[in-house]
Amino acid sequence: MILKTYQIDAFATKVFEGNPAMVVPLKSWLDDDLMQKIAEENNLSETAFFVQKDEIYELRWFTPKSEVDMCGHATLASAYVLFEYLGYDKEEIDFATKSGHLKVHRDGKYFVMNFPVQEIKSSDKHQKIEEAFGTKPLAIFESMDYIVVFENEEDVINATPDFALLKELDLRGVCITAKSQIYDFVTRFFAPKYGIEEDPVTGSAFTQLVSYWQSVLGKDAFFAKQLSHRGGEVRCAIKGDRVEISSEAVKYLEGTIEV
C-alpha cells in the first residue's frame, strides 16, 4: 500500500520553525494499529490522518505513543494540505474529531481554527508540580492539561522540569505560562507520558490558556508565543464558548510511504 504524505511546519512562517506534523490523507480508515505504527515510525509529536465523508473530513491524531483527543498544530497542518495541495475550494473545512467538530478557514496568509474553549479549575497537585520544576509557581490550574503560572517570562524560559515526575501526573501534559513584555503571554508545553518531552507549539493548549488570561488581562484577543527551541507565534480570539486560533504554516516535505 502506497500512502501520500506531507510534513508541514505549523505555526511557522518558514521551515524549521513551529511544530512539524505529518499529514496522511486516506481514502478509508486503516487499522488503528497500523496508524499507530506509522506515527511511531514518523517520530513526530503528531501524525494526522483524515478521511473525507461527504462534506466533512474525519480527522484523527496519533503521537508516537498513542492516539490523542485534540491536537491544534496537526489540525492546522491538515487544513493547510487540503487548501494548498488537495484542491479544497470551499471557504471552511469541517473536521469531525474526538473533540467534536473543529472548523478551519483562511484569512489571508493565516489559517484560523475554531476550537471549544476549555474551562479551568484550581488544582491541588502543587507538591508534585513544584517538585518537578524546583520552584513554587503563582498558581496551578487543571483542564485537559495542568496550567502552571509563573511570575515572569524568565521563569518560563529557564524552566528545566523533571520529566520523570511529570510523566507520573494524570493529565495529558503540563503547560507553563507567564506575562510577557512583547506578547500578551508566553508558554511552554511538556507531555512526556505521550513521548513528547517538550512540544514545539501546542495549538490545543491555547484553548485552556485563553480562559486564564482572559480573567487576568480582561481582554478577549491575544498575541502569544510558545518559547520552545523552534518557537511559534499564535493569535487567539475568544468568541463566546469558542476560540479562534490563527497562524501560518509551510511545507517541509512531500512524499510517499509504503506499508
Side-chain angles (χ1 to χ4, degrees):
M1 183 189 305
I2 304 295
L3 302 174
K4 187 72 174 178
T5 61
Y6 302 83
Q7 186 170 323
I8 307 300
D9 288 342
F11 300 106
T13 58
K14 58 180 183 287
V15 294
F16 310 126
E17 290 182 346
N19 201 351
M22 189 70 75
V23 179
V24 185
L26 300 172
K27 297 294 185 182
S28 60
W29 287 112
L30 306 175
D31 291 341
D32 288 6
D33 182 62
L34 177 56
M35 289 189 288
Q36 185 61 66
K37 287 178 179 177
I38 292 171
E40 183 179 4
E41 186 77 9
N42 290 337
N43 199 32
L44 297 171
S45 60
E46 302 288 346
T47 295
F49 301 87
F50 62 73
V51 173
Q52 183 177 5
K53 296 291 179 70
D54 298 322
E55 299 299 311
I56 294 173
Y57 288 84
E58 295 180 350
L59 175 64
R60 296 171 68 182
W61 313 280
F62 289 77
T63 76
K65 296 291 185 183
S66 63
E67 185 174 8
V68 295
D69 291 338
M70 181 182 286
C71 178
H73 83 280
T75 301
L76 192 156
S78 298
Y80 179 86
V81 168
L82 281 164
F83 278 121
E84 294 289 334
Y85 297 103
L86 299 184
Y88 190 84
D89 59 0
K90 296 182 176 61
E91 291 186 1
E92 185 175 66
I93 303 171
D94 187 352
F95 289 114
T97 77
K98 287 191 172 184
S99 294
H101 285 262
L102 308 177
K103 297 183 178 183
V104 185
H105 70 272
R106 297 188 72 162
D107 182 8
K109 64 182 180 179
Y110 293 101
F111 295 85
V112 184
M113 301 183 291
N114 185 294
F115 277 35
V117 173
Q118 306 291 321
E119 295 182 358
I120 63 173
K121 63 179 181 179
S122 294
S123 175
D124 60 1
K125 298 292 186 4
H126 286 244
Q127 182 175 349
K128 182 159 288 189
I129 289 175
E130 289 175 14
E131 185 179 353
F133 286 95
T135 187
K136 185 174 182 178
L138 292 179
I140 301 175
F141 300 92
E142 294 182 18
S143 185
M144 183 166 49
D145 307 296
Y146 289 99
I147 307 298
V148 181
V149 183
F150 285 121
E151 185 173 357
N152 55 61
E153 188 169 349
E154 287 71 29
D155 292 334
V156 174
I157 293 170
N158 296 325
T160 54
D162 184 325
F163 294 115
L165 290 176
L166 294 186
K167 192 179 291 187
E168 296 175 3
L169 295 170
D170 55 332
L171 299 182
R172 182 185 68 164
V174 177
C175 183
I176 64 175
T177 188
K179 285 184 180 180
S180 170
Q181 296 295 319
I182 299 175
Y183 303 92
D184 289 306
F185 62 88
V186 294
T187 183
R188 291 171 67 191
F189 185 85
F190 312 99
K193 69 188 294 181
Y194 284 93
I196 307 163
E197 289 193 343
E198 180 165 6
D199 196 37
V201 190
T202 315
S204 59
F206 290 87
T207 65
Q208 310 158 92
L209 287 164
V210 294
S211 295
Y212 173 75
W213 287 111
Q214 181 187 49
S215 67
V216 172
L217 300 178
K219 56 194 295 188
D220 296 331
F222 312 93
F223 184 35
K225 184 166 186 178
Q226 192 151 332
L227 296 174
S228 63
H229 173 70
R230 293 171 65 99
E233 294 179 339
V234 182
R235 298 177 186 274
C236 308
I238 297 175
K239 298 190 175 182
D241 61 353
R242 310 286 294 186
V243 57
E244 290 189 341
I245 303 169
S246 308
S247 194
E248 300 176 60
V250 294
K251 182 180 74 171
Y252 172 68
L253 67 82
E254 180 178 348
T256 57
I257 57 176
E258 186 173 353
V259 294

